Amino acid sequence: MSAQPLLTEPAVTPALAAEHGLSDAEYALVLEIMGRTPSFTELGIFSVMWSEHCSYKSSKVWLRQLPTTGPHVICGPGENAGVIDIGDGLAAVFKMESHNHPSFIEPYQGAATGVGGILRDVFTMGARPIANLNALRFGDPRHPKTRHLISGVVAGIGGYGNCIGVPTVGGETNFHRSYDGNNLVNAMTVGIAPADRIFYSAAAGVGNPVVYVGSKTGRDGIHGATMASTEFSDDSEEKRPTVQVGDPFTEKLLVEACLELMATDAIIGIQDMGAAGLTSSAVEMADKGGLGIALDLDQVPQRETGMSAYEIMLSESQERMLMILKPGREDEARRIFEKWELDFAVIGRVTDTGRLVLTMHGQTKADLPVSPLVERAPLYQRPWEPTPAASPLEAGLGAPAGRSFDDLLLTLMACPDLASKRWIWEQYDSQVGADTMAGSGGDAALVRVHGTDKALAMTTDCTPRYCAADPVEGGRQAVAEAWRNLTAVGATPLAVTDNMNFGNPQKPRIMGQFVGCIQGMAEACRALDFPVVSGNVSLYNETSGEAILPTPTIGGVGILARTGDAVGIGFKAADLTLLLVGATAGHLGQSLFLREILGREDGPPPPVDLAAERRHGDFVRALIQDRLVSACHDVSDGGLVVAITEMALAAGIGADLPGLARCDAAFLFGEDQARYVIAVPAGHVAEIQRRAAAAAVPLTTLGTTGGTTLTVGEYDAISLKRIEAAHEDWLPHYMASLAP
Amino acid sequence: MKAAVIVFPGSNCDRDVAVALERTTGKPPVLIWHRESELPPLDLIVLPGGFAYGDYLRCGAMAAQSPIMRAVVARVQTGVRVLGICNGFQVLTETRLLPGALMPNAALKFICRTVGLRVENADSAFTRRFQPGQVIHLPIAHGEGNYVADAETLARLDGEGQVAFRYCDSAGVTSDAANPNGSADHIAGVFNARRTVLGLMPHPERAFEPLHGNTDGRMIFDSLLEALS
């Protein structure tokens, strides 16, 4: 975009429409809707509203398969964030959203504004944000750009979240070469609101004032939504001007000012200005209310002089909100925003015309019908092909000859996906709010609901290598693992937000991955009573034709009825009995053992038995809530021995595991699902065995906690200090070194 | 004990410390907006953690110029106790109520973790419930907590008992490995000469109740309650 004022607007032609990302058929539809050639500003509005990012044109028909209702659901997908009832008159409001493309182009600002954007989605609904999580995927650690991306993304997430004062309590970080050209930043925010005071975005009341609050509008981020709707090529550096710049201090003021105004009854509707800025917020508010909006763009607070209507409407400047107020309440609202030193301007009125009319300098810059802009947005049934089934692994795979058990375990515990991510999460304030019970490093984070004895549990999960090998199974597994992680801290899982990250949907192979993952997710969400209440889709995560692994990140939220019920993964004490819940067949396909030890990424992912997941999870949760369990950890990446090792490291207490004598590598490191390791006082073992038998849950005695070493079956004891050094050192050493 | 918490735009630990004060004294503290210029009668003023004015200039530099800080400085002359936590410590050094300055952490990264601290002086309203030399643990969360002062000032702080806390390991031994941010002389908290003003980087309000997994911070609030009631 030109930094100079556009004195004359370019003539709108089919070629200009194509430059705006509209296909020939889409532009023909624009002409039909308008009945004339659109103005330059109108073309810009159509192009962003119909971008993949804003319209979900490739994904919408499939997203409808996901279950979105349930007894706890107050508001499902379609608003700024999902809302669920958590009792005591309170609601949890949450959503996850990607900021992948900007975070690759400009990692600090891209990640920071990702956090800022998702926070706005949550407080727009009337909730005070209480926690952030981040699911990150980076390329191969040996890729020259990876270190720079990690450094910038982590600093950006911390820079925003730490300043605004919302604790960053969890997330995940994985590495795979498929993300070399497209790292993923999926940011999730959870907030709390009074259940009877949720704010929605629909406009109402002809003549009511349309109010702009927050930061001024500048030329940053113009066409960000369009940028995020195409593949990258080698020129992605040139797209830096499309990345927005974050100001967490202003957003902190905006949170406080909005919540202060929300405590009154002056607001009719409110919508944050995220992707496609003022355009999408005004259009969505008008469309949801079945009304029109007239805006006087001269009234929009502007950071720069000489901005055109096109630039004002397409700017993605951060920390801005649009509100419809009750008539006569402008002064009251203005006083609150002035106290917080934020811009406040009445920029228009609600109308009954059903049209978005924009005037500037006394001229009409745009006049278009709202409903067709939204309802007639293109919707594609893209051709798709199912992912071919992976060939099963040959029988008898095991540890390579000559590699000791020590070596295998240390290699796994220090591999990029399993190594400690402390270097990352210590850069985030995880405790502000003084309600954090458990942050990163466990199965799920726990944050007390302020002023109550309840806590919310939250987690993000996805195993992209499973999704690539079998999208349906991978979709099931992502949901099941999130559900398991909430269960493992003692919480009752309630609902899900999803963040679908995929390649180019115009390729049938990629579309097939999307379709398969949705199918698996839908099955798992139904089987586990775990509805999807919000979500986001990020497509075109490809560079020069290379797509990322399919990555449907699941953000799960659950409730812990009593904070005292919580358990962590650390052993807590010596002389506890270690039990394995669930059956082990020794599934090595797509396992980390296969990848890190045998150098192979093949085979089918572990099958997910949703009935077993449900049965085993309900069994474990009841044990925890009945206070029979001292520590619990779900078994996932790396398998059984890795899970036990993580429990030992978390507490600095070792274990002796005679129950694993004569077990092969597949048993020790296979990634069979629906499993948990629990550490229980010896006096509770008989009761737990009785319950397991009654519920038909497989239960195996593994051994006992104690000491400072880990002894697996007949192998020599390994000192925890040695494992800890390997596990903790990988990431800081990697970040500090210059070599790959 | 009548307490007030000063709220700057960008403060974000104001509620947390207000909760700790209310649970200590049984009554909520007064929250005072930065634009005020008058203070009610008080025994304790708390400057909370956060990013006052965004900390876009030096941390605490803008807050030090706010109207309310003139009133705080006046109260310090009369002996009212002032506790500055994290960003509040930065405001106190910028206001010159405490010597020295807080620079970016030596590793140039924000750090959030629980650290060991040695109580260097238990003879104050803030620390009287501790034993001298006692080792406690408190969380830190800051990007600019690297305490610096000239050699003469450091010698005076040490000699006059103005060092409140030093970073240490769990045995109470100070070392570079136990110093999270590169602070001179491992200093985590300092008093003014009269020991009526304390600034510290760690967050006692985050180690206040069993849910936090550690209640060492509560001792600071209990000390104040005992001294000022």
Side-chain angles (χ1 to χ4, degrees), chain A residues 255-284:
Chain A
V255 176
E256 300 302 335
C258 285
L259 291 177
E260 196 171 323
L261 182 60
M262 285 165 168
T264 73
D265 64 347
I267 299 176
I268 288 174
I270 180 164
Q271 171 75 37
D272 82 300
M273 294 190 224
L278 187 52
T279 293
S280 83
S281 55
V283 169
E284 282 178 33

PDB file of all heavy atoms in Angstrom, chain A residues 255-284:
ATOM      1  N   VAL A 255      -8.910  -3.095  28.215  1.00  0.00           N
ATOM      2  CA  VAL A 255      -9.591  -4.129  29.019  1.00  0.00           C
ATOM      3  C   VAL A 255     -10.302  -3.462  30.188  1.00  0.00           C
ATOM      4  O   VAL A 255     -11.496  -3.697  30.422  1.00  0.00           O
ATOM      5  CB  VAL A 255      -8.590  -5.150  29.639  1.00  0.00           C
ATOM      6  CG1 VAL A 255      -9.330  -6.137  30.533  1.00  0.00           C
ATOM      7  CG2 VAL A 255      -7.832  -5.897  28.591  1.00  0.00           C
ATOM      8  N   GLU A 256      -9.563  -2.638  30.920  1.00  0.00           N
ATOM      9  CA  GLU A 256     -10.135  -2.055  32.132  1.00  0.00           C
ATOM     10  C   GLU A 256     -11.286  -1.117  31.790  1.00  0.00           C
ATOM     11  O   GLU A 256     -12.317  -1.107  32.463  1.00  0.00           O
ATOM     12  CB  GLU A 256      -9.054  -1.316  32.937  1.00  0.00           C
ATOM     13  CG  GLU A 256      -7.897  -2.203  33.397  1.00  0.00           C
ATOM     14  CD  GLU A 256      -8.317  -3.393  34.261  1.00  0.00           C
ATOM     15  OE1 GLU A 256      -9.382  -3.318  34.917  1.00  0.00           O
ATOM     16  OE2 GLU A 256      -7.603  -4.416  34.272  1.00  0.00           O
ATOM     17  N   ALA A 257     -11.119  -0.326  30.730  1.00  0.00           N
ATOM     18  CA  ALA A 257     -12.176   0.611  30.351  1.00  0.00           C
ATOM     19  C   ALA A 257     -13.421  -0.142  29.882  1.00  0.00           C
ATOM     20  O   ALA A 257     -14.551   0.197  30.261  1.00  0.00           O
ATOM     21  CB  ALA A 257     -11.674   1.560  29.255  1.00  0.00           C
ATOM     22  N   CYS A 258     -13.234  -1.167  29.066  1.00  0.00           N
ATOM     23  CA  CYS A 258     -14.396  -1.926  28.561  1.00  0.00           C
ATOM     24  C   CYS A 258     -15.123  -2.612  29.715  1.00  0.00           C
ATOM     25  O   CYS A 258     -16.354  -2.582  29.783  1.00  0.00           O
ATOM     26  CB  CYS A 258     -13.960  -2.954  27.521  1.00  0.00           C
ATOM     27  SG  CYS A 258     -13.542  -2.234  25.929  1.00  0.00           S
ATOM     28  N   LEU A 259     -14.358  -3.236  30.620  1.00  0.00           N
ATOM     29  CA  LEU A 259     -15.024  -3.937  31.725  1.00  0.00           C
ATOM     30  C   LEU A 259     -15.751  -2.934  32.628  1.00  0.00           C
ATOM     31  O   LEU A 259     -16.814  -3.239  33.166  1.00  0.00           O
ATOM     32  CB  LEU A 259     -14.010  -4.776  32.520  1.00  0.00           C
ATOM     33  CG  LEU A 259     -13.441  -5.989  31.760  1.00  0.00           C
ATOM     34  CD1 LEU A 259     -12.393  -6.713  32.597  1.00  0.00           C
ATOM     35  CD2 LEU A 259     -14.540  -6.966  31.335  1.00  0.00           C
ATOM     36  N   GLU A 260     -15.176  -1.739  32.763  1.00  0.00           N
ATOM     37  CA  GLU A 260     -15.841  -0.712  33.575  1.00  0.00           C
ATOM     38  C   GLU A 260     -17.161  -0.286  32.922  1.00  0.00           C
ATOM     39  O   GLU A 260     -18.188  -0.171  33.592  1.00  0.00           O
ATOM     40  CB  GLU A 260     -14.900   0.487  33.749  1.00  0.00           C
ATOM     41  CG  GLU A 260     -15.312   1.435  34.858  1.00  0.00           C
ATOM     42  CD  GLU A 260     -14.230   2.494  35.157  1.00  0.00           C
ATOM     43  OE1 GLU A 260     -13.021   2.176  35.099  1.00  0.00           O
ATOM     44  OE2 GLU A 260     -14.623   3.645  35.437  1.00  0.00           O
ATOM     45  N   LEU A 261     -17.128  -0.103  31.602  1.00  0.00           N
ATOM     46  CA  LEU A 261     -18.363   0.279  30.912  1.00  0.00           C
ATOM     47  C   LEU A 261     -19.363  -0.884  30.895  1.00  0.00           C
ATOM     48  O   LEU A 261     -20.576  -0.682  30.987  1.00  0.00           O
ATOM     49  CB  LEU A 261     -18.044   0.730  29.483  1.00  0.00           C
ATOM     50  CG  LEU A 261     -19.251   1.202  28.656  1.00  0.00           C
ATOM     51  CD1 LEU A 261     -19.930   2.408  29.323  1.00  0.00           C
ATOM     52  CD2 LEU A 261     -18.837   1.562  27.237  1.00  0.00           C
ATOM     53  N   MET A 262     -18.858  -2.102  30.794  1.00  0.00           N
ATOM     54  CA  MET A 262     -19.741  -3.275  30.762  1.00  0.00           C
ATOM     55  C   MET A 262     -20.472  -3.479  32.089  1.00  0.00           C
ATOM     56  O   MET A 262     -21.501  -4.161  32.128  1.00  0.00           O
ATOM     57  CB  MET A 262     -18.940  -4.529  30.411  1.00  0.00           C
ATOM     58  CG  MET A 262     -18.576  -4.594  28.928  1.00  0.00           C
ATOM     59  SD  MET A 262     -17.291  -5.823  28.640  1.00  0.00           S
ATOM     60  CE  MET A 262     -17.339  -5.934  26.841  1.00  0.00           C
ATOM     61  N   ALA A 263     -19.906  -2.919  33.151  1.00  0.00           N
ATOM     62  CA  ALA A 263     -20.586  -3.036  34.451  1.00  0.00           C
ATOM     63  C   ALA A 263     -21.844  -2.168  34.478  1.00  0.00           C
ATOM     64  O   ALA A 263     -22.706  -2.345  35.337  1.00  0.00           O
ATOM     65  CB  ALA A 263     -19.633  -2.650  35.575  1.00  0.00           C
ATOM     66  N   THR A 264     -21.964  -1.218  33.532  1.00  0.00           N
ATOM     67  CA  THR A 264     -23.204  -0.439  33.389  1.00  0.00           C
ATOM     68  C   THR A 264     -24.074  -1.180  32.366  1.00  0.00           C
ATOM     69  O   THR A 264     -23.688  -2.230  31.870  1.00  0.00           O
ATOM     70  CB  THR A 264     -22.924   0.977  32.860  1.00  0.00           C
ATOM     71  OG1 THR A 264     -22.580   0.878  31.472  1.00  0.00           O
ATOM     72  CG2 THR A 264     -21.778   1.631  33.625  1.00  0.00           C
ATOM     73  N   ASP A 265     -25.208  -0.605  32.007  1.00  0.00           N
ATOM     74  CA  ASP A 265     -26.019  -1.269  30.973  1.00  0.00           C
ATOM     75  C   ASP A 265     -26.085  -0.412  29.715  1.00  0.00           C
ATOM     76  O   ASP A 265     -27.077  -0.397  29.019  1.00  0.00           O
ATOM     77  CB  ASP A 265     -27.417  -1.575  31.511  1.00  0.00           C
ATOM     78  CG  ASP A 265     -28.169  -0.301  31.853  1.00  0.00           C
ATOM     79  OD1 ASP A 265     -27.520   0.770  31.905  1.00  0.00           O
ATOM     80  OD2 ASP A 265     -29.391  -0.367  32.064  1.00  0.00           O
ATOM     81  N   ALA A 266     -24.990   0.293  29.422  1.00  0.00           N
ATOM     82  CA  ALA A 266     -25.004   1.234  28.299  1.00  0.00           C
ATOM     83  C   ALA A 266     -24.743   0.573  26.943  1.00  0.00           C
ATOM     84  O   ALA A 266     -25.047   1.149  25.905  1.00  0.00           O
ATOM     85  CB  ALA A 266     -23.961   2.336  28.537  1.00  0.00           C
ATOM     86  N   ILE A 267     -24.178  -0.650  26.953  1.00  0.00           N
ATOM     87  CA  ILE A 267     -23.747  -1.256  25.683  1.00  0.00           C
ATOM     88  C   ILE A 267     -24.842  -2.144  25.098  1.00  0.00           C
ATOM     89  O   ILE A 267     -25.410  -2.986  25.794  1.00  0.00           O
ATOM     90  CB  ILE A 267     -22.474  -2.102  25.890  1.00  0.00           C
ATOM     91  CG1 ILE A 267     -21.334  -1.222  26.398  1.00  0.00           C
ATOM     92  CG2 ILE A 267     -22.070  -2.814  24.606  1.00  0.00           C
ATOM     93  CD1 ILE A 267     -20.061  -1.991  26.711  1.00  0.00           C
ATOM     94  N   ILE A 268     -25.114  -1.979  23.819  1.00  0.00           N
ATOM     95  CA  ILE A 268     -26.051  -2.870  23.113  1.00  0.00           C
ATOM     96  C   ILE A 268     -25.287  -3.984  22.412  1.00  0.00           C
ATOM     97  O   ILE A 268     -25.669  -5.142  22.453  1.00  0.00           O
ATOM     98  CB  ILE A 268     -26.884  -2.064  22.100  1.00  0.00           C
ATOM     99  CG1 ILE A 268     -27.890  -1.198  22.853  1.00  0.00           C
ATOM    100  CG2 ILE A 268     -27.576  -2.986  21.101  1.00  0.00           C
ATOM    101  CD1 ILE A 268     -28.673  -0.255  21.973  1.00  0.00           C
ATOM    102  N   GLY A 269     -24.215  -3.621  21.750  1.00  0.00           N
ATOM    103  CA  GLY A 269     -23.407  -4.621  21.051  1.00  0.00           C
ATOM    104  C   GLY A 269     -21.970  -4.151  21.011  1.00  0.00           C
ATOM    105  O   GLY A 269     -21.699  -2.939  21.040  1.00  0.00           O
ATOM    106  N   ILE A 270     -21.034  -5.104  20.974  1.00  0.00           N
ATOM    107  CA  ILE A 270     -19.621  -4.726  20.949  1.00  0.00           C
ATOM    108  C   ILE A 270     -18.859  -5.762  20.144  1.00  0.00           C
ATOM    109  O   ILE A 270     -19.167  -6.956  20.181  1.00  0.00           O
ATOM    110  CB  ILE A 270     -19.072  -4.563  22.387  1.00  0.00           C
ATOM    111  CG1 ILE A 270     -17.585  -4.178  22.370  1.00  0.00           C
ATOM    112  CG2 ILE A 270     -19.303  -5.802  23.238  1.00  0.00           C
ATOM    113  CD1 ILE A 270     -17.086  -3.633  23.711  1.00  0.00           C
ATOM    114  N   GLN A 271     -17.868  -5.291  19.416  1.00  0.00           N
ATOM    115  CA  GLN A 271     -17.107  -6.171  18.522  1.00  0.00           C
ATOM    116  C   GLN A 271     -15.699  -5.624  18.439  1.00  0.00           C
ATOM    117  O   GLN A 271     -15.511  -4.429  18.294  1.00  0.00           O
ATOM    118  CB  GLN A 271     -17.774  -6.155  17.137  1.00  0.00           C
ATOM    119  CG  GLN A 271     -17.013  -6.843  16.046  1.00  0.00           C
ATOM    120  CD  GLN A 271     -17.099  -8.361  16.149  1.00  0.00           C
ATOM    121  OE1 GLN A 271     -18.134  -8.908  16.510  1.00  0.00           O
ATOM    122  NE2 GLN A 271     -15.998  -9.027  15.864  1.00  0.00           N
ATOM    123  N   ASP A 272     -14.703  -6.510  18.574  1.00  0.00           N
ATOM    124  CA  ASP A 272     -13.344  -5.995  18.446  1.00  0.00           C
ATOM    125  C   ASP A 272     -12.984  -5.871  16.981  1.00  0.00           C
ATOM    126  O   ASP A 272     -13.596  -6.488  16.115  1.00  0.00           O
ATOM    127  CB  ASP A 272     -12.349  -6.889  19.190  1.00  0.00           C
ATOM    128  CG  ASP A 272     -11.932  -8.091  18.376  1.00  0.00           C
ATOM    129  OD1 ASP A 272     -12.816  -8.879  18.014  1.00  0.00           O
ATOM    130  OD2 ASP A 272     -10.737  -8.234  18.100  1.00  0.00           O
ATOM    131  N   MET A 273     -12.002  -5.020  16.705  1.00  0.00           N
ATOM    132  CA  MET A 273     -11.547  -4.879  15.330  1.00  0.00           C
ATOM    133  C   MET A 273     -10.310  -5.744  15.164  1.00  0.00           C
ATOM    134  O   MET A 273      -9.227  -5.371  15.574  1.00  0.00           O
ATOM    135  CB  MET A 273     -11.220  -3.414  15.029  1.00  0.00           C
ATOM    136  CG  MET A 273     -12.451  -2.528  15.059  1.00  0.00           C
ATOM    137  SD  MET A 273     -12.106  -0.889  14.415  1.00  0.00           S
ATOM    138  CE  MET A 273     -12.947   0.125  15.627  1.00  0.00           C
ATOM    139  N   GLY A 274     -10.515  -6.932  14.611  1.00  0.00           N
ATOM    140  CA  GLY A 274      -9.403  -7.858  14.417  1.00  0.00           C
ATOM    141  C   GLY A 274      -9.038  -7.886  12.954  1.00  0.00           C
ATOM    142  O   GLY A 274      -8.786  -6.841  12.349  1.00  0.00           O
ATOM    143  N   ALA A 275      -9.048  -9.081  12.367  1.00  0.00           N
ATOM    144  CA  ALA A 275      -8.756  -9.195  10.947  1.00  0.00           C
ATOM    145  C   ALA A 275      -9.778  -8.365  10.172  1.00  0.00           C
ATOM    146  O   ALA A 275     -10.955  -8.355  10.495  1.00  0.00           O
ATOM    147  CB  ALA A 275      -8.834 -10.655  10.529  1.00  0.00           C
ATOM    148  N   ALA A 276      -9.296  -7.634   9.183  1.00  0.00           N
ATOM    149  CA  ALA A 276     -10.137  -6.784   8.345  1.00  0.00           C
ATOM    150  C   ALA A 276     -10.780  -5.658   9.133  1.00  0.00           C
ATOM    151  O   ALA A 276     -11.742  -5.032   8.698  1.00  0.00           O
ATOM    152  CB  ALA A 276     -11.188  -7.593   7.595  1.00  0.00           C
ATOM    153  N   GLY A 277     -10.241  -5.375  10.319  1.00  0.00           N
ATOM    154  CA  GLY A 277     -10.490  -4.156  11.078  1.00  0.00           C
ATOM    155  C   GLY A 277     -11.916  -3.630  11.111  1.00  0.00           C
ATOM    156  O   GLY A 277     -12.866  -4.336  11.440  1.00  0.00           O
ATOM    157  N   LEU A 278     -12.045  -2.350  10.766  1.00  0.00           N
ATOM    158  CA  LEU A 278     -13.336  -1.670  10.848  1.00  0.00           C
ATOM    159  C   LEU A 278     -14.341  -2.294   9.880  1.00  0.00           C
ATOM    160  O   LEU A 278     -15.539  -2.328  10.147  1.00  0.00           O
ATOM    161  CB  LEU A 278     -13.114  -0.179  10.533  1.00  0.00           C
ATOM    162  CG  LEU A 278     -14.268   0.797  10.713  1.00  0.00           C
ATOM    163  CD1 LEU A 278     -14.893   0.687  12.091  1.00  0.00           C
ATOM    164  CD2 LEU A 278     -13.770   2.227  10.463  1.00  0.00           C
ATOM    165  N   THR A 279     -13.848  -2.810   8.763  1.00  0.00           N
ATOM    166  CA  THR A 279     -14.745  -3.428   7.790  1.00  0.00           C
ATOM    167  C   THR A 279     -15.492  -4.603   8.412  1.00  0.00           C
ATOM    168  O   THR A 279     -16.727  -4.631   8.443  1.00  0.00           O
ATOM    169  CB  THR A 279     -13.945  -3.942   6.572  1.00  0.00           C
ATOM    170  OG1 THR A 279     -13.428  -2.822   5.883  1.00  0.00           O
ATOM    171  CG2 THR A 279     -14.824  -4.757   5.634  1.00  0.00           C
ATOM    172  N   SER A 280     -14.753  -5.574   8.941  1.00  0.00           N
ATOM    173  CA  SER A 280     -15.452  -6.773   9.381  1.00  0.00           C
ATOM    174  C   SER A 280     -16.252  -6.502  10.646  1.00  0.00           C
ATOM    175  O   SER A 280     -17.328  -7.061  10.835  1.00  0.00           O
ATOM    176  CB  SER A 280     -14.489  -7.946   9.551  1.00  0.00           C
ATOM    177  OG  SER A 280     -13.855  -7.918  10.782  1.00  0.00           O
ATOM    178  N   SER A 281     -15.764  -5.609  11.531  1.00  0.00           N
ATOM    179  CA  SER A 281     -16.538  -5.353  12.741  1.00  0.00           C
ATOM    180  C   SER A 281     -17.869  -4.675  12.391  1.00  0.00           C
ATOM    181  O   SER A 281     -18.926  -5.072  12.887  1.00  0.00           O
ATOM    182  CB  SER A 281     -15.732  -4.544  13.749  1.00  0.00           C
ATOM    183  OG  SER A 281     -15.270  -3.355  13.179  1.00  0.00           O
ATOM    184  N   ALA A 282     -17.831  -3.681  11.517  1.00  0.00           N
ATOM    185  CA  ALA A 282     -19.080  -2.983  11.163  1.00  0.00           C
ATOM    186  C   ALA A 282     -20.028  -3.916  10.409  1.00  0.00           C
ATOM    187  O   ALA A 282     -21.233  -3.950  10.683  1.00  0.00           O
ATOM    188  CB  ALA A 282     -18.760  -1.753  10.304  1.00  0.00           C
ATOM    189  N   VAL A 283     -19.477  -4.683   9.466  1.00  0.00           N
ATOM    190  CA  VAL A 283     -20.332  -5.573   8.669  1.00  0.00           C
ATOM    191  C   VAL A 283     -20.954  -6.649   9.553  1.00  0.00           C
ATOM    192  O   VAL A 283     -22.150  -6.944   9.462  1.00  0.00           O
ATOM    193  CB  VAL A 283     -19.523  -6.204   7.511  1.00  0.00           C
ATOM    194  CG1 VAL A 283     -20.308  -7.319   6.844  1.00  0.00           C
ATOM    195  CG2 VAL A 283     -19.134  -5.132   6.502  1.00  0.00           C
ATOM    196  N   GLU A 284     -20.142  -7.250  10.446  1.00  0.00           N
ATOM    197  CA  GLU A 284     -20.685  -8.313  11.294  1.00  0.00           C
ATOM    198  C   GLU A 284     -21.757  -7.790  12.237  1.00  0.00           C
ATOM    199  O   GLU A 284     -22.785  -8.440  12.457  1.00  0.00           O
ATOM    200  CB  GLU A 284     -19.561  -8.976  12.096  1.00  0.00           C
ATOM    201  CG  GLU A 284     -18.755  -9.951  11.250  1.00  0.00           C
ATOM    202  CD  GLU A 284     -17.601 -10.578  12.017  1.00  0.00           C
ATOM    203  OE1 GLU A 284     -17.740 -10.788  13.232  1.00  0.00           O
ATOM    204  OE2 GLU A 284     -16.566 -10.840  11.376  1.00  0.00           O
TER     205      GLU A 284
END
